[in-house]
């Protein structure tokens, strides 16, 4: 783990703050925590996980439901209000429902969402809704069965679609579908994915591939700027209507095919970095707070919690927020090597 120099120094950590006033050094309000529950997955997407050779986190090093709740409570005490569960594949955690129940009961939490590949949602969506989950993003890169098998490996497109429908029926809405576009795999399928929004109230969001860890070269080789995907969609469906006056909604620029029931989003971390508006920290399944997805700086919350107890977490969160880097360095060819996306939580 890289200890960012600033984490070791006596930096100007803020002491007098309220949950509403805490900002990082660049004036950004950080109120969104992504929690990775596990680094295992039941798929092997080309840009995310290799087929062989990955080492998984040993069970004693995974955060327990109690520890996840303790860290989330400390985050909310310093001003966080939104949590997203992710992985790896979060639905592989046998104690997922308990984790959702514990988090949903914390006063001050406004949204509790989850990102999943959807395969297990038909069995779990109603229980997740009952436990307090607000909504889900389902990851599905193409509606073409053969290309789904090539790109996401180990799964079938019908399974992901069944997950989307299960989320819709359970009221985990609006259902968002995430698609990473990779040249030679699914770059020709973006118009087909966009067509899902014609009759369904779903948000289909196209994500540029980012280089991380062991699969970085796959992401670089297959990178497709989202301007290209947008042009392909317009060639098929006509000019898109820009929503929100073209301004970012979270990390996405939103559009609509005229008269469509749903919306389209374009998430452009590589061609149009949105670091200036970044509002998030990430908690890995082994209890490290990662200050930026695309740099390797981490703070060890699990060891602090296990050795010093939960009172030590709040000051550590203030330190993490204060030390958050200004942004990623992809344009200089610098990207993180230590962990892949499945080991961080996208
Ligand atoms: N397994 C779940 C899933 O696939 O949604 C949750 C974890 S996955 C790491 C979270 C998100 O990261 C997915 O929506 C996937 O599209 C995205 N992702 C994975 N690797 C990526 C990469 N190299 N570049 C951009 N997005 C990536
Ligand atoms: Fe698994 Fe999600 Fe990574 Fe695909 S993107 S391999 S579904 S963790």
């Amino acid at each position: 783990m890289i200890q960012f120099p600033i984490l070791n120094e006596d930096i100007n950590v803020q002491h007098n703050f309220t949950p509403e006033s805490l900002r990082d050094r660049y004036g950004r309000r950080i109120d969104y925590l992504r929690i990775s529950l596990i680094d295992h997955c039941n798929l092997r997407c080309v840009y995310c996980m290799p087929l062989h050779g990955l080492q998984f986190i040993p069970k004693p090093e995974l955060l327990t439901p109690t520890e996840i709740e303790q860290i989330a409570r400390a985050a909310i005490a310093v001003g966080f209000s939104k949590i997203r569960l992710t992985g790896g594949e979060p639905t592989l955690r046998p104690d997922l429902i308990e984790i959702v129940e514990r988090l949903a009961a914390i006063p001050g939490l406004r949204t509790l969402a989850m990102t999943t590949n959807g395969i297990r949602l038909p069995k779990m969506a109603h229980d997740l809704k009952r436990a307090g989950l607000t909504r889900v993003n389902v990851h599905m890169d193409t509606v073409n069965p053969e290309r789904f098998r090539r790109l996401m490996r180990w799964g079938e497109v019908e399974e992901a679609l069944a997950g989307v429908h299960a989320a819709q029926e359970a009221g985990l809405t609006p259902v968002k579908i995430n698609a990473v576009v990779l040249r030679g795999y699914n770059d020709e399928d973006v118009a087909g994915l966009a067509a899902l929004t014609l009759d369904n109230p779903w948000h289909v969001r196209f994500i540029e591939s980012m280089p991380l860890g062991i699969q970085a070269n796959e992401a670089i080789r297959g990178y497709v700027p989202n301007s290209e995907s947008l042009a392909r969609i317009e060639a098929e469906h006509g000019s898109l209507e820009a929503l929100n006056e073209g301004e970012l909604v979270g990390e996405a620029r939103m559009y609509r095919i005229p008269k469509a029931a749903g919306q389209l989003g374009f998430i452009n971390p590589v061609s149009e970095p949105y670091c200036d508006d970044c509002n998030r920290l990430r908690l890995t399944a082994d209890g490290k707070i990662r200050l930026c997805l695309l740099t390797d700086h981490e703070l060890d919350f699990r060891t602090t919690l296990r050795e010093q107890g939960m009172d030590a977490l709040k000051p550590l969160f203030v330190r993490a927020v204060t030390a958050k880097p200004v942004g990623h360095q992809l344009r200089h060819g610098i990207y993180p090597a230590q962990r892949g996306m499945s080991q961080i939580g996208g």
Side-chain angles (χ1 to χ4, degrees):
M1 183 175 60
I2 293 182
Q3 279 288 351
F4 196 25
I6 200 165
L7 299 177
N8 299 327
E9 292 163 12
D10 190 16
I11 53 167
N12 192 16
V13 170
Q14 303 149 77
H15 296 290
N16 298 319
F17 67 89
T18 64
E20 293 72 37
S21 72
L22 186 65
R23 296 279 184 284
D24 76 358
R25 288 173 297 156
Y26 304 98
R28 296 172 296 194
R29 179 139 168 63
I30 312 298
D31 59 2
Y32 181 10
L33 184 63
R34 293 202 174 190
I35 302 180
S36 173
L37 298 181
I38 190 166
D39 57 343
H40 281 272
C41 189
N42 46 358
L43 300 185
R44 287 291 182 278
C45 302
V46 165
Y47 43 75
C48 181
M49 286 177 92
L51 280 178
H52 307 288
L54 259 196
Q55 301 251 321
F56 294 103
I57 300 169
K59 189 141 186 274
E61 291 180 22
L62 286 176
L63 294 174
T64 64
T66 307
E67 289 171 334
I68 291 168
E69 179 187 341
Q70 287 171 322
I71 294 175
R73 282 187 182 273
I76 290 164
V78 301
F80 285 72
S81 60
K82 188 174 164 191
I83 288 178
R84 173 173 297 277
L85 303 177
T86 180
E89 177 46 42
T91 58
L92 297 185
R93 272 287 291 233
D95 47 11
L96 174 61
I97 300 293
E98 178 192 346
I99 293 168
V100 170
E101 281 170 350
R102 282 172 175 268
L103 296 180
I106 304 176
L109 183 65
R110 280 194 296 112
T111 351
L112 178 59
M114 185 174 77
T115 300
T116 167
N117 59 36
I119 307 270
R120 292 169 69 99
L121 277 184
K123 288 201 177 78
M124 304 183 76
H126 281 282
D127 289 344
L128 286 165
K129 176 74 181 177
R130 259 194 302 274
L133 195 71
T134 329
R135 53 187 159 75
V136 292
N137 289 15
V138 180
H139 172 202
M140 184 172 73
D141 288 336
T142 171
V143 287
N144 178 292
E146 189 195 324
R147 289 200 283 273
F148 187 99
R149 272 180 233 124
R150 262 191 83 217
L151 181 51
M152 299 183 74
R153 305 187 286 200
W154 296 9
E156 298 291 338
V157 71
E158 293 79 27
E159 295 177 289
L161 265 177
V164 172
H165 284 287
Q168 181 71 37
E169 280 156 24
L172 294 165
T173 53
V175 180
K176 298 184 183 177
I177 296 174
N178 287 346
V180 178
V181 183
L182 209 65
R183 194 173 305 286
Y185 286 89
N186 65 340
D187 50 326
E188 294 178 8
D189 299 345
V190 290
L193 275 168
L196 291 175
T197 64
L198 291 172
D199 298 323
N200 300 294
W202 303 334
H203 297 190
V204 174
R205 297 148 27 111
F206 300 94
I207 305 171
E208 293 176 342
S209 63
M210 291 175 268
L212 290 119
I214 196 167
Q215 294 307 90
N217 284 340
E218 299 289 348
I220 292 170
R221 230 190 330 266
Y223 170 72
V224 178
N226 255 340
S227 53
E228 191 178 315
S229 297
L230 192 143
R232 270 184 200 272
I233 293 168
E234 291 199 315
E236 176 81 21
H237 296 288
S239 290
L240 302 180
E241 294 168 11
L243 305 177
N244 197 38
E245 295 171 344
E247 295 301 314
L248 284 177
V249 180
E251 59 200 356
R253 288 203 192 280
M254 300 302 298
Y255 294 81
R256 188 196 302 276
I257 300 174
K259 300 200 170 63
Q263 302 180 12
L264 301 176
F266 293 84
I267 300 175
N268 312 329
V270 181
S271 66
E272 195 189 355
Y274 38 80
C275 304
D276 287 353
D277 294 317
C278 186
N279 63 348
R280 64 196 64 168
L281 294 180
R282 288 179 162 80
L283 177 64
T284 64
D286 56 350
K288 311 293 187 296
I289 283 280
R290 197 168 165 100
L291 305 181
C292 162
L293 172 65
L294 290 161
T295 61
D296 278 323
H297 309 307
E298 297 179 353
L299 272 173
D300 188 347
F301 273 52
R302 190 196 67 213
T303 303
T304 303
L305 175 59
R306 290 186 184 175
E307 289 179 359
Q308 299 174 38
M310 72 174 290
D311 287 349
L313 294 176
K314 210 171 129 183
L316 203 56
F317 260 117
V318 178
R319 185 165 277 266
V321 167
T322 309
K324 188 172 163 62
V326 65
H328 69 64
Q329 302 294 317
L330 292 183
R331 72 169 66 84
H332 302 300
I334 300 169
Y335 50 83
Q338 301 219 330
R339 293 181 191 254
M341 195 67 123
S342 63
Q343 298 161 315
I344 300 169

